[in-house]
Amino acid sequence: MDIGALVGMASYPKDSPIYGALNAADVADLRKALETGNAAVTIGGPNAGVSALRPQSLESTLKVVTVTQKHLKLWPKLAKDPAKSTLEEYSRLDALGELGDGFIPEVATPVSTAETMSRQAVALKFMGVKKEVSLASTLVNNIVGNLEAHEAQIGTTELLAQLERNLVYGDSSMNTLSFDGFVKQITDAATGEFADIVIDWEGKAPDEAMMEKMCQTVGDHYGILDYMITSVRGKSNLRASLFPMQRMGMPAAIPGAVGAKFDKYEGQSNVDVEDSVFIRDKKARTVGMTVTNTPANPASFTATQGNDSTSKLEAGKTYYYWIGMMKQGLESAAVTASASTTGLYQKITLSMADSNFGTGANAAEYINIYRSTDRNDITQATLIAQVARAAGAAPTTYVDLNQSRDRCDIALGFTWDAEGVVKFKQLAPLMKLPLAVTGTSQPFMILLFGSPVLFAPSKCVYVKNMGRPYVQ
């Protein structure tokens, strides 16, 4: 368009009638009528000026504010091994035979020994998510291109996020459909001579002493600690403990830069240190989930103080508890109760009547117990225990000895040996499976069949109750 060809005020002589026809207010109204503005255009309603003629710009990418696949740490690291059955069995050499010192006379028959072996088995479990794309949504322009591929990517991320969390926290004694995660596998193995592979740090800050304790524990059981994973806060507090003690080598000064990157600990072992957003506090719910078969909200429970010489509860504290009813990861709103300690060596016993578990399809199978010390605030409470429903009509109870503390972190340490220690056995790899079309949409599933296996949990270590003196 030739702007100079437009008719303007210069086209009229000064004595033309147009001069003086518009006062200042009229000019302002005219200018307003010609503005496009920057507000959203109203669909089906009045729009100021010529804003209805303005095309609206739509960003061509979907902005993600939740977890992405780059947050996965354990799943990409795990070696995947094909399984031949839904029940994988293997043999484990638990101990060598007792030989004394092994010396014999020149002419003699050596002592016959018998090693200790055991037969182990792991059940492979099934994970899946269903996604659906309507026919209409595939026929219109959208910002993501191939909508089915986009939904498949989202479904894969959703499934892997749940997998990553369950690799740590999965517990088949609570949810029979779940596999056992690394915390459960290490805890179950922590008996007898291997009782020390679970370390209670008792609320202290993670520090060099903790790292050395982990290295020594794994080393005592013929492993080499070379990989550790903890929460984001756990790693931040560990770094904050090591940095001022000059346990971290200072890099060359960079103008404007403060601090140092921390991803490896060099002590008795060289340990790769990672954090995971999936190792985090689990919070109680004020509103129950709306998914079908979510358990009903409980009515109440009791918290009673008593005496126990093994208790580590602090004296003169009020402990606030919340309990949510659980079924296969579905959770109700939580109900609360509290109790106080007046001295040392006191316990608090929680008791939930069986009637709270309900009946039928939404009957709860276990409970989540949350606790906050001296803070009657559900947002400050964190998960300390899960307890399966008691048999029969007996109440379900939990005795709090401070064996699991609120607002603390955990860490897992591994001898990362894919052949002899840790592996993921999978019956089928991650896959997309189309479903029959029965309407105007295309449904499909994202599936994964398998379970993590710690062949030698004694060569791993689990640290609980790591305090948060620096980063809460």
Side-chain angles (χ1 to χ4, degrees):
M1 178 184 294
D2 183 3
I3 300 299
L6 294 175
V7 177
M9 293 295 292
S11 302
Y12 296 89
K14 289 188 177 182
D15 57 353
S16 172
I18 194 172
Y19 275 91
L22 298 177
N23 58 31
D26 293 332
V27 172
D29 290 341
L30 177 62
R31 178 175 179 179
K32 183 178 181 181
L34 296 175
E35 287 181 345
T36 59
N38 58 7
V41 178
T42 304
I43 305 298
N47 291 277
V50 294
S51 61
L53 303 179
R54 186 183 74 241
Q56 297 197 79
S57 173
L58 185 62
E59 173 61 39
S60 61
T61 58
L62 182 67
K63 305 307 178 186
V64 179
V65 295
T66 184
V67 65
T68 64
Q69 293 190 33
K70 71 179 181 181
H71 294 105
L72 304 175
K73 300 294 178 67
L74 288 169
W75 174 247
K77 189 176 180 68
L78 278 169
K80 286 77 174 177
D81 189 40
K84 307 300 182 183
S85 170
T86 53
L87 184 68
E88 281 289 301
E89 297 184 75
Y90 60 95
S91 298
R92 186 168 69 197
L93 176 62
D94 296 311
L96 299 177
E98 296 182 350
L99 186 59
D101 59 13
F103 293 102
I104 61 173
E106 179 180 353
V107 179
T109 301
V111 175
S112 178
T113 63
E115 65 277 5
T116 302
M117 302 182 71
S118 61
R119 189 70 171 172
Q120 304 291 329
V122 57
L124 273 59
K125 299 302 178 74
F126 313 101
M127 300 186 71
V129 61
K130 178 184 175 183
K131 305 298 285 186
E132 200 164 1
V133 179
S134 70
L135 175 61
S137 66
T138 64
L139 300 177
V140 299
N141 291 331
N142 59 71
I143 65 173
V144 296
N146 188 328
L147 193 59
E148 184 174 338
H150 179 69
E151 282 296 298
Q153 181 181 12
I154 292 178
T156 300
T157 301
E158 291 172 348
L159 187 63
L160 290 180
Q162 289 301 320
L163 171 65
E164 187 81 4
R165 185 182 184 281
N166 281 287
L167 286 173
V168 178
Y169 297 110
D171 188 344
S172 62
S173 66
M174 299 296 131
N175 180 2
T176 55
L177 298 179
S178 172
F179 53 64
D180 286 334
F182 294 131
V183 168
K184 181 67 161 55
Q185 292 189 51
I186 295 174
T187 302
D188 285 350
T191 60
E193 64 176 309
F194 302 130
D196 58 347
I197 63 175
V198 174
I199 300 172
D200 185 354
W201 207 238
E202 299 184 348
K204 296 176 292 187
D207 55 13
E208 185 178 24
M210 185 195 81
M211 295 300 299
E212 288 299 309
K213 178 67 174 177
M214 293 174 69
C215 293
Q216 292 167 12
T217 299
V218 173
D220 285 345
H221 300 301
Y222 311 106
I224 299 175
L225 183 67
D226 48 24
Y227 179 69
M228 167 186 159
I229 189 165
T230 183
S231 66
V232 175
R233 288 182 179 86
K235 184 177 178 181
S236 293
N237 278 291
L238 176 58
R239 182 192 175 282
S241 293
L242 298 176
F243 192 88
M245 296 174 63
Q246 298 183 358
R247 295 299 192 269
M248 295 174 61
M250 296 299 101
I254 302 175
V258 177
K261 184 179 179 181
F262 172 50
D263 54 17
K264 183 180 285 290
Y265 174 80
E266 295 188 4
Q268 187 172 343
S269 302
N270 293 331
V271 187
D272 291 328
V273 180
E274 283 195 311
D275 56 52
S276 171
V277 297
F278 298 97
I279 302 177
R280 59 167 60 199
D281 294 337
K282 181 172 173 55
K283 301 288 189 177
R285 298 183 65 92
T286 57
V287 178
M289 293 182 176
T290 57
V291 182
T292 302
N293 294 336
T294 297
N297 298 339
S300 63
F301 68 97
T302 61
T304 308
Q305 180 252 25
N307 296 317
D308 192 303
S309 60
T310 65
S311 177
K312 296 180 181 179
L313 287 174
E314 299 178 66
K317 297 287 187 180
T318 299
Y319 294 94
Y320 296 91
Y321 300 91
W322 286 263
I323 291 183
M325 313 306 292
M326 300 291 300
K327 178 181 180 179
Q328 297 174 7
L330 304 177
E331 185 170 10
S332 73
V335 64
T336 186
S338 64
S340 299
T341 55
T342 57
L344 295 175
Y345 307 115
Q346 293 183 341
K347 64 182 179 181
I348 296 176
T349 301
L350 309 181
S351 180
M352 172 71 75
D354 190 68
S355 58
N356 286 290
F357 284 81
T359 59
N362 66 338
E365 298 173 344
Y366 59 102
I367 58 175
N368 275 359
I369 301 175
Y370 304 86
R371 192 185 81 181
S372 177
T373 304
D374 280 342
R375 299 181 187 182
N376 187 14
D377 183 354
I378 191 172
T379 65
Q380 299 298 315
T382 58
L383 183 69
I384 62 167
Q386 294 181 312
V387 182
R389 182 180 186 177
T396 298
T397 60
Y398 173 74
V399 180
D400 188 5
L401 306 174
N402 218 19
Q403 63 269 51
S404 182
R405 305 178 185 225
D406 54 277
R407 298 181 65 79
C408 282
D409 294 298
I410 68 169
L412 292 167
F414 300 87
T415 299
W416 204 266
D417 178 358
E419 292 303 318
V421 180
V422 57
K423 185 177 290 188
F424 189 87
K425 299 288 287 188
Q426 61 181 23
L427 189 63
L430 191 66
M431 59 183 171
K432 174 188 172 188
L433 184 66
L435 295 174
V437 177
T438 59
T440 58
S441 63
Q442 173 61 63
F444 59 91
M445 298 185 295
I446 307 296
L447 301 172
L448 178 65
F449 301 159
S451 295
V453 184
L454 282 181
F455 296 111
S458 61
K459 296 183 179 181
C460 304
V461 65
Y462 164 47
V463 182
K464 62 180 183 178
N465 297 327
M466 293 161 47
R468 298 174 179 173
Y470 306 106
V471 181
Q472 290 293 316

